[in-house]
Amino acid sequence: METIDLRRDLRHLYSPKPGHFELVDLPELNYFTIVGQIEPGLGPSTSPGFALAMGALYGLIYTVKYSGKKRAVEPIDFPVMPLEGQWWLTGGTFDLDHPDNWEYRMQVVVPDVIGQHDLESALTELRRKRGDLPEFTGLRLERFAEGKCAQVMHVGPYATEPATLAGLPAFLAEHGLVDLVGPAGGRHHEIYLGDPRRAAPEKLRTILRHPVAAI
């Protein structure tokens, strides 16, 4: 059985130092994704729709992972990559301090050998086990390249992310770059290396990633 270890192969994209900004160039990668919007007055941790979306996304990933190991020909295994979230607000100003009505695309990188047929087979299996849940219709396999980004490791609760990002403007000015998050249409990107259900808030590790461009 072949093991495809994206955690090892892509380590250089997922290991910034705490508090130190760095530039990375994200190539085209393969993702399982699901999109949605947080309900008015709620946040990601209290949104029932978001919880259902996460259940569908992880159900898909683990169904594909286990079915890959059972292939009669060329079976594969792969460690599950961290959950990532891209966040934005259409027609408004994205503000980390106010998660109300945020739109999202939650995503997990998967090996290039995973194709549309794997998605469709997994959805068939999920519907057999769980029923035809509405969330399943939003699951996608997408390939895209995020391009040049600035990123930093944030250590602590999600609510203190703005303090970590406060150093981004000076870092970008030093490199002749501008932040594309906000009016330029870029999306605030978070990669969750800690589990808020298990880790103390002050120990959570989250990569904060913003697309950038030359001035």
Side-chain angles (χ1 to χ4, degrees):
M1 178 184 300
E2 179 185 8
T3 297
I4 303 172
D5 191 349
L6 294 180
R7 288 180 179 267
R8 178 198 62 210
D9 298 342
L10 301 177
R11 183 180 294 119
H12 62 291
L13 301 175
Y14 291 86
S15 55
K17 296 179 180 178
H20 294 273
F21 289 92
E22 66 176 19
L23 295 173
V24 291
D25 197 351
L26 275 294
E28 185 176 84
L29 296 171
N30 215 28
Y31 298 88
F32 279 142
T33 69
I34 190 166
V35 299
Q37 186 168 19
I38 303 298
E39 297 88 343
L42 300 178
S45 63
T46 57
S47 163
F50 183 74
L52 291 171
M54 293 303 92
L57 181 59
Y58 274 111
L60 171 64
I61 294 165
Y62 280 99
T63 298
V64 170
K65 174 180 170 66
Y66 293 130
S67 64
K69 295 168 68 173
K70 297 177 181 178
R71 288 179 178 177
V73 179
E74 298 182 345
I76 62 168
D77 190 18
F78 57 92
V80 175
M81 290 290 284
L83 176 69
E84 306 185 28
Q86 291 190 330
W87 303 90
W88 71 97
L89 185 60
T90 300
T93 301
F94 179 82
D95 184 351
L96 270 174
D97 291 321
H98 298 90
D100 182 271
N101 280 339
W102 280 1
E103 297 167 72
Y104 60 81
R105 175 169 64 189
M106 307 307 294
Q107 58 194 46
V108 176
V109 180
V110 293
D112 287 343
V113 297
I114 301 300
Q116 187 65 26
H117 63 285
D118 296 296
L119 170 66
E120 293 170 358
S121 296
L123 285 174
T124 298
E125 181 66 10
L126 284 169
R127 289 185 171 110
R128 184 185 68 81
K129 291 181 176 179
R130 302 187 188 181
D132 193 10
L133 300 180
E135 296 74 39
F136 293 155
T137 63
L139 293 167
R140 298 285 186 273
L141 177 66
E142 300 183 82
R143 291 187 62 84
F144 55 87
E146 198 169 4
K148 181 169 287 188
C149 296
Q151 66 179 22
V152 64
M153 180 73 76
H154 170 71
V155 180
Y158 303 132
T160 62
E161 287 181 10
T164 297
L165 285 173
L168 181 58
F171 173 81
L172 295 181
E174 180 183 348
H175 290 82
L177 300 168
V178 293
D179 189 354
L180 296 182
V181 171
R187 299 175 178 183
H188 172 71
H189 190 163
E190 301 178 348
I191 299 110
Y192 308 102
L193 304 183
D195 186 343
R197 299 169 300 178
R198 300 178 181 178
E202 65 273 14
K203 294 183 179 180
L204 286 173
R205 294 185 307 138
T206 309
I207 299 174
L208 308 180
R209 181 182 287 168
H210 280 202
V212 298
I215 295 175

